[in-house]
Amino acid sequence: MYQVTGNEYVSLPRIDADNGSVRSLTFLYMQAKGMLEMFGRDALVHPYFSIGGEPVSAVPRWERKHYWIPAMTVSDERARFTCTYLTPPGERGFVLHLTAENISDAELSVRVGAGGDWAGTNHRVNESMPMETGRFVKQSGWNHMFVFQQKQLLPLFAFAPIVSDDQPFSEIDQGADWKTDGFTYDIGRSVMLRPGEKAALDICFGIGYEEVAACTSAKEMLRQGYDVLLRRGEDWLSRRERHLSDPRLEEILNTNLFFCFFFASGRTIDTEELCMVTSRSPRYYVSAAFWDRDSLLWAFPAILEADPLYAGELLRSVFHRQARNFGIHSRFIDGTVLEPGFELDELCAPVIALDRYIRRTGDTAILSEPAVAGAVSRVLRTLDEKKHPTVELYATFLQPTDDLNRYPYLTYDNALVCRIFSRLAVLLDREDLREKAERVRAAVYENCVIDGPDGPMFAWSTDLNGHSDIYDEPPGSLQLLPFYGFCDPVDPVWRNTVAHIRSETYSLSFSGHRIAEIGCKHAPHPWILSICNSMLCGYAEKARDHLACTALDNGIACESVHEDTGECTTGAAFATCAGFLAYALLSSEI
């Protein structure tokens, strides 16, 4: 089990809940087209506590301050120790805040500190690839300690701690000591504590393009001081927290909101560009790449609710970097193609996000920006290429799970096409697009409605030659047709469709199980996205009950869970899904 935290620059995706060890840290890197991960043999950073030279080992007690700042407490009958993992927004690094308190009646010799080693670096885009050369360690005058660096002819990145500052007028000297042996290090403070006394040690770790950037990133945090950074971080989080009537659901909402914010987006270390990704955690099986659907249909609505200004910058960065390949299966963070294959829902996703942003902020000026205007025109041209020669339906090659389609014309995907035509008709004042939207709607009802077990229902897909199928996928569910404005929730065709795919007669429904949600062939267990879909399509009360039965990934969204135990079965650390979960909880509470 892991705790997580992070900010725009640095992610700590694997803080071991058993002992507080930071197994790895990750950061986005534009020139590497993805994410780099520093890791240790046992731990990159391992906090420790001792009394009289003997390690204190006890089961940690964890809390998440403001749902995002993890803090570990370890106690015995003599002393209480804490370690807080602070990743201040806007800073290139993080702080370990270590404390010791003597709760006995006798004087104690205690030590608090952190050790670890840098075993290597992985390049991460879906798969991990070891970077086997270029690592070195040196002592540096910039932090009066040591700095880890990796370079390939030119610098790649550097990572450095700091505990004291000898600059003029600085009084920061924590009485800490440190040592290194190659890539292994130890930083700590030893003190005598009388009964009731406390002591603290702050170790600031900086990341940057090279030595000076990393060391001064750490130094800047040290100079501000932990208390200032903590207050600033707590204020940032408290202004974005959302509240629900159910405390348990409120915890899930905010934990997933912040996980989405900082793990589905971030700034690159080398260019400081804002990017969106599936997840900045290497525990997610397709991490550090870009999907239009995942980022813009699932993560973006939650980020927009939390911080409209940040969301606007994100959206502009997507249109700047990714627009040339909108609709292509997956891409690197620089916009070039990772996995080829056309997906109609992904082509629609940027326009749906753009419309959502404008309706939330009133920022219509974005429509006239060259990157945005050009991308919208490109989307419309691509749609023309995907249209059936005589029927107003549009084809896709891959389904919303990224799996190959059975038939090319998907009902859900064409509902999204109808959505973008109708919204662009308003935004661009174009009557021709309004008419296209109505023709798509009519074509769906004419060609995608079949006789089902409960009466007329929407097919999942058709080839327009007499073949169709009954199916559903949580990443692009027919349950969401009213949510995207395609039909009314009282539409009998839609109601028959939903009744069937939620019933025990549908093979991938888990009706009758403890978590009675829908799965699909991609992952045949209830999906968290299905819980989200249920909250958005009129089954909010049941969905919230199902959610309360899930363990998730230690409270964070995963792809699917076991239908009876609620344990994570696939897709841990699913950051974009975390966003849709937070958004669905917010929307279903209103």
Side-chain angles (χ1 to χ4, degrees), residues 144-158:
H144 309 288
M145 295 181 69
F146 61 93
V147 58
F148 294 152
Q149 289 187 269
Q150 189 145 11
K151 66 179 182 178
Q152 308 290 331
L153 297 181
L154 292 174
L156 192 62
F157 69 86

Side-chain angles (χ1 to χ4, degrees), residues 466-479:
H467 302 100
S468 59
D469 60 345
I470 294 175
Y471 185 57
D472 198 60
E473 289 186 344
S477 176
L478 295 169
Q479 294 188 98

Side-chain angles (χ1 to χ4, degrees), residues 114-357:
D117 70 273
W118 178 27
T121 305
N122 287 326
H123 176 267
R124 181 81 190 191
V125 181
N126 292 5
E127 300 289 338
S128 286
M129 181 179 69
M131 301 173 65
E132 297 176 346
T133 62
R135 288 191 308 135
F136 68 96
V137 59
K138 61 169 288 191
Q139 293 194 19
S140 173
W142 289 94
N143 63 345
H144 309 288
M145 295 181 69
F146 61 93
V147 58
F148 294 152
Q149 289 187 269
Q150 189 145 11
K151 66 179 182 178
Q152 308 290 331
L153 297 181
L154 292 174
L156 192 62
F157 69 86
F159 176 68
I162 195 170
V163 292
S164 64
D165 184 3
D166 67 351
Q167 293 294 300
F169 311 110
S170 173
E171 299 178 355
I172 302 172
D173 185 353
Q174 302 185 86
D177 57 81
W178 60 274
K179 61 183 179 182
T180 58
D181 180 8
F183 296 111
T184 300
Y185 69 92
D186 180 89
I187 306 166
R189 180 185 179 192
S190 299
V191 293
M192 295 296 298
L193 292 181
R194 292 189 294 271
E197 279 194 325
K198 299 178 181 180
L201 173 63
D202 297 323
I203 310 174
C204 301
F205 293 88
I207 193 85
Y209 173 67
E210 48 72 77
E211 173 185 353
V212 178
C215 292
T216 55
S217 293
K219 183 174 290 190
E220 193 264 348
M221 289 187 288
L222 184 75
R223 288 175 172 178
Q224 289 193 60
Y226 172 77
D227 290 340
V228 170
L229 293 172
L230 179 63
R231 284 196 300 270
R232 196 179 77 199
E234 289 184 323
D235 179 65
W236 191 99
L237 293 166
S238 65
R239 285 186 281 112
R240 290 162 178 81
E241 289 171 7
R242 297 295 184 266
H243 302 288
L244 300 179
S245 55
D246 184 323
R248 166 64 175 149
L249 293 179
E250 179 174 300
E251 180 180 8
I252 294 174
L253 162 63
N254 286 296
T255 301
N256 282 275
L257 176 64
F258 294 135
F259 185 73
C260 170
F261 198 103
F262 289 122
F263 276 71
S265 73
R267 291 193 188 276
T268 59
I269 288 295
D270 54 333
T271 65
E272 298 183 353
E273 292 177 70
L274 207 51
C275 302
M276 299 193 78
V277 291
T278 47
S279 183
R280 288 165 63 182
S281 172
R283 297 180 62 235
Y284 185 57
Y285 65 94
V286 285
S287 61
F290 178 85
W291 269 255
D292 300 300
R293 170 191 55 249
D294 299 42
S295 289
L296 298 175
L297 295 186
W298 303 339
F300 186 76
I303 294 173
L304 179 61
E305 287 301 313
D307 194 327
L309 188 63
Y310 182 88
E313 185 181 353
L314 265 182
L315 190 62
R316 286 174 167 89
S317 74
V318 166
F319 274 84
H320 171 69
R321 277 284 186 179
Q322 299 288 345
R324 186 169 65 88
N325 289 311
F326 278 162
I328 301 300
H329 182 174
S330 69
R331 277 102 69 195
F332 297 100
I333 61 173
D334 67 353
T336 55
V337 172
L338 173 58
E339 299 170 271
F342 176 73
E343 304 192 32
L344 184 55
D345 63 327
E346 295 210 289
L347 182 70
C348 297
V351 177
I352 291 172
L354 176 66
D355 173 57
R356 186 184 298 277
Y357 169 74

Side-chain angles (χ1 to χ4, degrees), residues 10-179:
V10 176
S11 301
L12 303 182
R14 296 190 296 166
I15 304 172
D16 195 322
D18 290 334
N19 57 25
S21 293
V22 177
R23 300 296 185 186
S24 66
L25 70 84
T26 69
F27 48 93
L28 297 174
Y29 207 93
M30 184 60 69
Q31 294 177 79
K33 291 178 174 282
M35 184 171 75
L36 302 184
E37 178 193 20
M38 297 181 68
F39 62 90
R41 277 186 294 271
D42 294 317
L44 183 67
V45 182
H46 174 62
Y48 64 80
F49 315 104
S50 66
I51 301 175
E54 295 296 322
V56 175
S57 58
V59 176
R61 180 175 56 83
W62 289 92
E63 66 169 325
R64 287 174 177 156
K65 300 177 181 179
H66 293 274
Y67 308 101
W68 190 241
I69 304 172
M72 173 183 72
T73 300
V74 175
S75 300
D76 69 7
E77 68 279 2
R78 299 165 296 171
R80 182 182 299 113
F81 300 92
T82 69
C83 177
T84 303
Y85 304 76
L86 181 63
T87 51
E91 301 289 347
R92 293 188 309 207
F94 63 97
V95 183
L96 282 194
H97 177 65
L98 302 156
T99 69
E101 180 183 5
N102 185 346
I103 58 175
S104 73
D105 295 328
E107 190 174 55
L108 296 177
S109 171
V110 304
R111 182 173 175 85
V112 296
D117 70 273
W118 178 27
T121 305
N122 287 326
H123 176 267
R124 181 81 190 191
V125 181
N126 292 5
E127 300 289 338
S128 286
M129 181 179 69
M131 301 173 65
E132 297 176 346
T133 62
R135 288 191 308 135
F136 68 96
V137 59
K138 61 169 288 191
Q139 293 194 19
S140 173
W142 289 94
N143 63 345
H144 309 288
M145 295 181 69
F146 61 93
V147 58
F148 294 152
Q149 289 187 269
Q150 189 145 11
K151 66 179 182 178
Q152 308 290 331
L153 297 181
L154 292 174
L156 192 62
F157 69 86
F159 176 68
I162 195 170
V163 292
S164 64
D165 184 3
D166 67 351
Q167 293 294 300
F169 311 110
S170 173
E171 299 178 355
I172 302 172
D173 185 353
Q174 302 185 86
D177 57 81
W178 60 274
K179 61 183 179 182

Side-chain angles (χ1 to χ4, degrees), residues 347-370:
L347 182 70
C348 297
V351 177
I352 291 172
L354 176 66
D355 173 57
R356 186 184 298 277
Y357 169 74
I358 292 172
R359 286 186 289 120
R360 175 69 170 79
T361 66
D363 180 13
T364 56
I366 193 174
L367 289 166
S368 61
E369 295 177 13

